[in-house]
């Protein structure tokens, strides 16, 4: 420690980068993704807005406003002292669960999912915040013990996850439910839960999925989407229309793309929900492989930085960070994967890039917590 | 040990994080590889599954055939109008939301920009009328017939008018305005019913909705062509596919002579004015001119009339409302073909023929002509109760139009029929059979839509019974009710008495009914055309025509596709001797007096004319004035023209209808003027139609100054569709009207 103190004046540049209290790479990669998203959202919506007689920039402005709000949320969450995480976690969990209950009572239905609460001026999608709530709740649960979680803790964790999972499936929102599972898995891995538990849970999930299909828990449209995925080229005017149109857009983008605002599929409004779940198809068509790969690369930077924070963090911080990484990682893979035809279609936004206030703010909140953990890491190792 | 444990734990923790890192990185790498494969490596890229989703077929409208008169002059032509359309999506995509474009366009068209915006926005709860009822992607017509200055202003500054386009379209043109309007008819936009009846119709087409336009629609309309186009996903045309040229409709040559038609219409209008000046109501009238030898119609005039131009390119609601308003007195109705009026003494052609042919009176027989006669308990008088001394021949009875002469035979016939009925035999009803044999009480079968032809009516025992069975409840209710709503006490008494009679005895065909029938009164009604057909039979040897207006259908190359000939429905059951006798009796050549001849006093053509006046009484109205005539009357079958004139509520036949018809004959024969008809005879050969080139198949060779050509102008529609929209049809903006 003393060595570091002595070294400090001699290597100011390196010290500032390594020991900065703000993880600039993490924050800037997210900001850049948000800005790229703004252009893509603009491109996806301007012609339909114009032909409806609206302001062609209205989605652009709202996306940018969401980005500003998310930055403020990030800055606020980043101030949270990590030692208070123990108290903040349960509060976030309970509040977000109340949000999920509220949406079932007073929510509105969009595209067949009962997932939104209409507030004056904007809609809230509580499932997005439930992801943060569950991760912090689980982290607090497992942070009490310093050794491997025992069976009771794992069972409590499963219970904590089952509650939002059930509420989300009632909406129904299969995509968010899968993200919850992914986040749970990530926290359990980071919490050093025994391998037999992990294997058991994965097997149980597979059996559960098969039973769900057989018993008919999934809605018809969800099954159709799954069939559309397993049998490509089938029903491209129906269940597979959306993804088929997105794939046309991406495939014809080539190496460098058609140019921003120049994609025929995007301009022709062939891809429904393009500004949200299929925003990646705009990137593929108009920015080409280089632009689309840049987006994946930025996510890579973001996730690797987050894992670095997890590695350096104390137990609770590591669990939160691992949960967030698993959430983002799965959601990114699922979203881009369905655009590329290697994952079935579920309604999930691409973090920071897709249009959507709740997703953006929940992402900002999660990154804010990571920043708080990072600041704590720097404080511990640096002080 | 503690330190070792910590390091072990640390390794375990970072090991788990490493698991996550490997997992995450491999997922992202998977995405990048997949992306690279999909975008760069894959050679079999998905495309829009069916290219034909982006091809459209644009209708190339066929030029509608023209309608010509018997000398080749245009009665209905075609005209190219410049239609201004606005592509709403292009306009609102402007930086200012289209404010500048709409303001500039509004200033040109004299309309407020916000009104224009409403007009081009699809109808909906937020956008009530005026609004666009068509497809959202279709350019909206905002001006159907733009003037040259507006078109120039837009086409010179296209950059200031993004989304605004000018499209040429062909619409009907009526160079003569109201000439023969009811017979020409008009076109309307094709509706759902029309497409149901004929699936080949395109909803961009127009269809004949009345008159000749409807009757000859199939040949006038032609066959639409089509232009295949390839569209990009935005709906813009990127390439033109095969063109199937439109086949223009046939030209319809009619036997109408526009000179005689104009003459008839102006004589009618003048007579109405003159009758009104004498204190008559004279609300309407009609003239029929036909060739009795061929059955071809030369002129059909009807008043009131209307200007066909209001229908050009679609009639506006306001124009249509004024046409059907009660004040307009139904100008769309052809009085000549669809009007039904009591014929009065012109009917004595029928009763005289019947009386002689059925043996009630020999051709040289006589009867008295008292001023009045008791007919079945009712005293019926001659016109003005005039009596003629001595015994009158049929010739004299016709010439002076003695009603009581004809009553006598109607009474005899009635009594004989009643006796036959009492004996259990069928009545002869000679008058009714003769009337039907002359074409009355059935539609004339002219080449106009059936619904536009009146059959008229005659009373008889069977029709009485049928009517009474259908209406007796109403008669009895009216009699009991006493017409409390009728303000005039005299009319109330009359109606109530009539209803009470009809209630109990309405089924009876009485002797006075038969007497009324013998002089063209009572329930007897005819159309002027039916009367012209009957008088044609009188002077053509007895042939009863289903007359025609159409003469020939001429193909685009000038060849005659089809000649339209009148059909002889039969021969009237009257011997030539009797026909000649009647014709001679009504001849103005002198030697004998004929009522109506007085109207021709002083005219050099008086001796060429034969004719019968009629003065029909209509309860509650002034008399209907008739004159049924023919010329030249040198011999009984030499007539080239039958002219029937009718003026409603205008007094006696010789005071209104006959002077009007005199003016027409003087025009035809050139009294104090050049004859309106070359040689003063009806046209007998078809006009020469110079072949017209269909632009898309061969270059135009037709001289531009040939007045007798159908002269189909080349419209941009017909040759090069501008394809402003991927629509397969273009809807008319104005309301279609189908009365």
């Amino acid at each position: 420690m003393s060595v570091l103190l002595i070294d400090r004046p001699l290597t100011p540049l390196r010290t500032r980068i390594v020991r900065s209290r703000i993880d600039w790479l993490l924050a800037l990669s997210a900001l850049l993704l948000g800005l790229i998203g703004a252009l893509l959202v603009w491109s996806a919506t301007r012609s339909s807005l114009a032909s409806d007689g609206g302001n062609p920039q209205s989605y652009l402005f709202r996306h940018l406003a969401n980005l500003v709000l998310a930055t403020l949320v990030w800055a606020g969450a980043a101030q949270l002292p990590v030692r208070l995480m123990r108290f903040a976690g349960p509060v976030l969990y309970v509040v977000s669960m109340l949000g999920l209950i509220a949406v079932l009572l007073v929510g509105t239905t969009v595209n067949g999912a009962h997932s939104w609460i209409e507030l004056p001026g904007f809609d809230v999608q509580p499932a997005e915040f439930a992801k943060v709530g569950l991760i912090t709740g689980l982290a607090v649960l497992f942070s009490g013990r310093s050794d491997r979680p025992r069976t009771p803790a794992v069972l409590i964790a499963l219970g904590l996850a089952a509650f939002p999972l059930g509420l989300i499936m009632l909406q129904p929102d299969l995509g968010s439910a899968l993200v919850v599972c992914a986040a749970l898995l990530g926290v359990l891995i980071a919490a050093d839960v025994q391998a037999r538990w992990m294997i058991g849970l994965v097997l149980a999930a597979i059996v559960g999925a098969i039973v769900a299909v057989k018993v008919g828990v999934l809605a018809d449209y969800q099954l159709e989407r799954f069939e559309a995925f397993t049998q490509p080229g089938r029903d491209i005017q129906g269940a597979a229309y959306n993804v088929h149109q997105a794939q046309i857009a991406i495939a014809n983008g080539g190496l460098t793309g058609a140019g921003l605002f120049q994609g025929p599929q995007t301009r022709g409004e062939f891809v429904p929900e393009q500004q949200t779940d299929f925003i990646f198809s705009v990137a593929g068509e108009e920015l080409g492989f280089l632009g689309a790969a840049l987006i994946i690369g930025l996510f890579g930077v973001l996730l690797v930085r987050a894992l670095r924070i997890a590695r350096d963090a104390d137990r609770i911080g590591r669990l939160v960070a691992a949960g967030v990484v698993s959430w983002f990682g799965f959601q990114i893979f699922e979203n881009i994967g369905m655009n590329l035809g290697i994952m079935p279609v579920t309604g999930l936004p691409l973090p920071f890039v897709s249009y959507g206030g709740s997703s953006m703010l929940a992402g900002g909140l999660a990154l804010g917590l990571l920043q708080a953990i990072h600041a704590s890491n720097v404080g511990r190792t640096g002080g | 040990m503690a330190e070792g444990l910590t390091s072990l734990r640390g390794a375990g923790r970072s090991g788990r994080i490493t698991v996550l890192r490997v997992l995450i990185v491999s997922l992202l790498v998977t995405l990048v590889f997949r992306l690279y494969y999909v975008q760069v490596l894959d050679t079999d890229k998905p495309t829009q599954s069916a290219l034909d989703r982006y091809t459209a077929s644009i209708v190339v409208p066929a030029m509608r055939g023209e309608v010509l008169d018997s000398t080749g002059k245009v009665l209905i032509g075609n005209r190219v109008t410049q239609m201004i359309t606005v592509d709403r999506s292009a306009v609102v995509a402007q930086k200012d939301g289209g404010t500048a474009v709409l303001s500039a366009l509004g200033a040109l068209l004299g309309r407020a920009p916000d009104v224009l915006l409403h007009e081009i926005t699809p109808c909906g709860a937020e956008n009530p009328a005026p609004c666009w009822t068509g497809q959202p992607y279709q350019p909206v017509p905002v001006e159907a017939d733009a003037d040259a200055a507006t078109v120039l202003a837009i086409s010179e500054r296209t950059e200031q008018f993004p989304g605004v386009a000018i499209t040429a379209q062909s619409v009907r043109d009526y160079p003569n305005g109201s000439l023969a309007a009811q017979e020409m008819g008009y076109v309307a936009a094709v509706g759902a019913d029309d497409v149901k009846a004929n699936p080949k119709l395109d909803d961009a087409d127009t269809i004949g909705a009345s008159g000749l336009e409807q009757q000859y629609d199939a040949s006038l309309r032609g066959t639409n062509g089509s232009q295949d186009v390839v569209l990009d996903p935005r709906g813009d045309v990127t390439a033109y596919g095969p063109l199937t040229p439109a086949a223009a409709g046939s030209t319809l040559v009619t036997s109408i002579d526009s000179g005689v038609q104009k003459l008839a219409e102006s004589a009618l209008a003048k007579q109405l004015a003159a009758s009104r000046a004498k204190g008559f109501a004279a609300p309407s009238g009609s003239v029929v001119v036909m060739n009795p030898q061929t059955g071809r119609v030369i002129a059909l005039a009807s008043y009131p009339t209307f200007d066909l131009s209001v229908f050009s390119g679609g009639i506006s609601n306001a124009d249509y409302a004024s046409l059907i308003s009660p004040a307009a007195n139904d100008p769309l109705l052809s009085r000549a073909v669809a009007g039904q009026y009591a014929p009065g003494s012109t009917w004595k052609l029928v009763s005289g023929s019947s009386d002689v042919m059925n043996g009630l009176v020999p051709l040289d027989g006589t009867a008295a002509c008292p001023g009045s006669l008791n007919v079945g308990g009712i005293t019926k008088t001659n016109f003005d109760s005039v009596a003629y001394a001595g015994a009158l021949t049929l010739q004299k009875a016709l010439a002076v139009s003695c009603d009581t002469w004809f009553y006598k035979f109607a009474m005899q016939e009635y009594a004989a029929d009643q006796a036959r009925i009492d004996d259990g035999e069928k009545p002869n009803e000679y008058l009714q059979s003769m009337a039907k044999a002359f074409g009355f009480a059935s539609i004339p079968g002219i080449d106009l839509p059936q619904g536009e032809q009146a059959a008229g009516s005659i009373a008889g025992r069977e029709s009485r019974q049928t009517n009474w069975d259908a209406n007796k409840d109403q008669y009895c209710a009216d009699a009991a009710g006493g017409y409390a709503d009728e303000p005039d006490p005299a009319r109330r008494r009359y109606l109530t008495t009539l209803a009470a009679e009809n209630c109990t005895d309405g089924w009876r065909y009485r002797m006075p009914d038969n007497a009324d029938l013998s002089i063209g009164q009572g329930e007897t009604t005819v159309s002027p055309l039916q009367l012209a057909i009957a008088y044609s039979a009188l002077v053509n040897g007895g042939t009863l025509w289903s007359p025609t207006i159409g003469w020939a259908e001429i193909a685009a190359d000038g060849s005659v596709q089809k000649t339209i000939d009148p059909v002889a429905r039969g021969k009237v059951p009257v011997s030539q001797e009797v026909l000649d006798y009647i014709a001679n009796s009504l001849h103005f050549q002198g030697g004998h007096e004929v009522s109506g001849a007085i109207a021709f006093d002083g005219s050099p053509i008086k001796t060429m004319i034969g004719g019968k006046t009629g003065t029909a009484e209509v309860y509650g109205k002034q008399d209907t004035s008739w004159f049924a005539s023919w010329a030249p009357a040198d011999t009984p079958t030499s007539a080239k023209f039958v002219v029937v004139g009718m003026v409603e509520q205008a007094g006696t036949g010789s005071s209104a209808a006959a002077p009007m018809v005199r003016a027409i004959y003087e025009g035809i024969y050139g009294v104090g003027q050049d004859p309106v008809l070359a040689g003063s005879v009806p046209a007998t050969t078809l006009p020469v139609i110079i072949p017209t080139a269909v632009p898309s198949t061969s270059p135009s060779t037709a001289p531009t100054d040939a007045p007798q050509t159908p002269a189909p102008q080349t419209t941009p529609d017909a040759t090069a569709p501008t394809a402003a929209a991927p629509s397969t049809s273009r809807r008319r903006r104005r309301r279609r009207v189908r009365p």
Side-chain angles (χ1 to χ4, degrees), chain A residues 50-51 189 192-193 245 248 250-252 254 265 267 270 284 288-289 292-293 296 300 303 307 318 340 342, chain B residues 9 13 16-17 20-21 24 27-28 31-32 34-36 38-39 45-49 54 88 92 233-234:
Chain A
S51 64
I189 290 172
D192 213 10
V193 170
Q245 294 297 331
I248 293 171
I250 296 170
N252 291 291
Q265 288 285 107
R267 284 179 52 169
F270 283 98
F289 173 76
I296 298 174
L303 293 173
L307 283 168
R318 187 168 73 246
L340 294 176
I342 55 173
Chain B
R9 282 271 163 83
R13 276 182 236 122
R16 288 298 178 103
I17 296 301
L20 277 177
R21 191 201 303 261
I24 293 292
L27 286 178
L28 294 179
L31 288 180
V32 172
R34 173 67 183 175
L35 183 68
Y36 188 72
V38 161
Q39 291 201 288
K45 294 187 176 185
T47 53
Q48 284 298 347
S49 48
Y54 301 117
R88 182 176 157 277
V92 298
R234 297 278 289 169

Side-chain angles (χ1 to χ4, degrees), chain B residues 184-332:
Chain B
M184 294 299 117
Y186 50 85
V187 292
V190 164
D193 308 344
D194 302 322
V195 177
K196 209 184 235 176
N198 180 1
K200 282 185 185 166
L201 288 175
D202 184 87
D203 62 1
D205 286 345
T206 55
I207 188 169
S210 76
L212 293 176
E213 291 271 28
Q214 181 180 350
Q215 184 71 18
Y216 291 102
D217 184 67
S219 70
L220 286 171
R221 195 179 339 107
T223 309
N224 285 338
S226 63
Q227 167 74 69
D228 290 344
V229 291
V230 181
L231 307 172
D232 69 10
R234 297 278 289 169
D236 297 329
V237 174
T238 56
Y240 288 95
L243 169 77
T244 309
S250 306
T251 299
L252 177 68
V253 176
T254 67
S255 54
I256 297 279
D257 182 276
S258 54
V260 177
Q261 179 72 30
K262 280 175 193 163
L263 176 67
E265 290 187 12
S266 74
L268 175 58
K270 277 181 197 155
Q271 184 56 49
L272 288 163
S275 293
R276 286 172 195 167
K278 283 194 279 182
F280 290 99
S284 64
S286 169
V287 173
V288 178
V289 181
M290 66 180 277
N291 181 339
Q293 310 306 334
T294 62
R296 297 196 187 277
V297 171
I298 299 162
L300 282 168
S302 179
Y303 187 95
T305 186
F306 64 98
D307 188 345
L308 279 165
S309 306
V310 298
F311 284 96
S312 182
I315 189 168
S316 69
N317 287 346
D319 283 342
Y320 188 66
S322 74
L323 278 183
I324 60 169
S325 78
N329 193 18
D330 210 352
L332 298 174

Side-chain angles (χ1 to χ4, degrees), chain A residues 15 67 93 114 121 161 188 217 226 246 272 289 306 312:
Chain A
T15 310
L67 195 54
Y93 179 83
H114 198 69
L188 291 181
V217 173
F226 190 74
F289 173 76
D312 293 346

Side-chain angles (χ1 to χ4, degrees), chain B residues 348 369-375 378-387 401-405 407 516 519 521 617:
Chain B
K348 285 169 185 165
C369 179
S372 66
L373 197 63
N374 184 312
V375 180
I378 296 173
T379 301
K380 295 182 81 74
T381 64
N382 267 341
F383 186 74
D384 289 342
S385 299
V386 175
S401 206
C402 175
D403 289 347
T404 51
W405 195 94
Y407 287 158
D516 283 342
I519 60 158
Q521 291 282 169
E617 294 172 24

Side-chain angles (χ1 to χ4, degrees), chain A residues 191-322:
Chain A
D192 213 10
V193 170
Q194 284 168 324
R196 62 170 186 271
W197 269 108
M198 309 300 298
I199 294 164
L201 283 173
V202 169
L203 285 177
I206 292 169
V207 171
I210 293 169
V211 170
V213 171
K214 294 287 181 200
V215 175
V217 173
L218 295 176
D220 285 346
Y221 74 89
Q222 290 167 333
L223 287 177
E224 282 170 13
R225 283 173 175 179
F226 190 74
E227 282 170 14
F229 169 69
T230 55
Q231 295 158 279
R234 178 180 168 274
D235 200 16
I236 57 173
Q237 293 300 325
Y241 174 77
N242 212 326
V243 69
H244 180 67
Q245 294 297 331
Q247 283 166 10
I248 293 171
I250 296 170
N252 291 291
L255 189 64
T256 53
L260 190 64
F261 302 151
Q262 303 303 317
Q265 288 285 107
T266 302
R267 284 179 52 169
E269 300 157 34
F270 283 98
V271 190
E273 303 297 330
Q274 202 177 13
Q275 75 276 18
T276 56
D277 300 350
F278 288 93
I279 193 70
F280 191 76
S281 69
V282 184
E285 180 176 44
E286 301 196 337
L287 307 181
F289 173 76
L290 296 180
L294 173 69
I295 290 175
I296 298 174
L298 286 171
F299 278 122
V301 170
L302 188 148
L303 293 173
V304 167
R305 290 303 298 185
L307 283 168
R308 193 183 181 86
I309 290 169
R311 190 196 64 192
D312 293 346
D314 62 2
R315 187 170 174 81
I316 188 166
R318 187 168 73 246
L319 293 174
V320 169

Side-chain angles (χ1 to χ4, degrees), chain B residues 580-636:
Chain B
D580 289 351
Y581 180 93
I582 294 173
N584 282 324
S585 301
L586 297 172
H587 200 195
F588 295 178
Q589 264 173 339
H592 58 267
E593 160 192 29
V594 182
S595 70
I598 189 170
F600 286 75
D601 281 353
S603 175
I605 58 162
K606 178 177 178 179
T607 56
M608 297 172 68
I609 310 296
K612 179 81 196 83
T613 52
T615 306
E617 294 172 24
V618 181
Y619 181 80
K621 289 184 177 172
Q622 294 163 311
D623 294 342
T624 305
S625 173
W626 286 98
F627 186 56
S629 67
W630 64 95
D634 314 337
T635 69

